[in-house]
Amino acid sequence: MNRVTLLGRLGKDPEIRTTGSGEKVASFSVATSEQWKDKATGEKQERTEWHRVVVWGKLAELCAKYLAQGRHRFVAGRLQTR
């Protein structure tokens, strides 16, 4: 099963483009973070991971219209590496 769910903040507004066949494609980045307390020093630590998201078709148009930098978003889909 190839299923991914992310809850994070958008790094920038979605970029939308059109393929040669006329299909819309939106791309954006989502940042997810985790926080923990270092056992050795007691200091609070944080790590941020950036996830590149690509959306096709009508959903790409909706993402371009409604998504904006810094807003919390839930993203679900499949994982594909390039």
Side-chain angles (χ1 to χ4, degrees):
M1 181 164 78
N2 187 355
R3 184 83 176 148
V4 175
T5 54
L6 299 170
L7 178 60
R9 291 192 181 273
L10 266 63
K12 60 181 179 177
D13 292 343
E15 298 173 11
I16 191 159
R17 58 187 163 80
T18 306
T19 65
S21 62
E23 190 171 16
K24 302 283 186 184
V25 181
S27 301
F28 54 93
S29 295
V30 175
T32 57
S33 298
E34 65 175 314
Q35 297 176 352
W36 71 94
K37 195 172 194 178
D38 190 308
K39 291 180 182 178
T41 64
E43 292 182 28
K44 187 176 180 181
Q45 301 288 322
E46 182 176 13
R47 177 182 14 224
T48 302
E49 294 281 335
W50 287 93
H51 310 276
R52 184 106 170 120
V53 179
V54 179
V55 182
W56 295 81
K58 182 67 175 173
L59 189 55
E61 295 176 28
L62 293 172
C63 286
K65 186 176 180 180
Y66 292 110
L67 299 183
Q69 179 180 357
R71 299 189 66 187
H72 262 108
R73 285 296 164 239
F74 174 84
V75 179
R78 65 184 177 89
L79 181 64
Q80 181 178 353
T81 57
R82 292 194 231 178

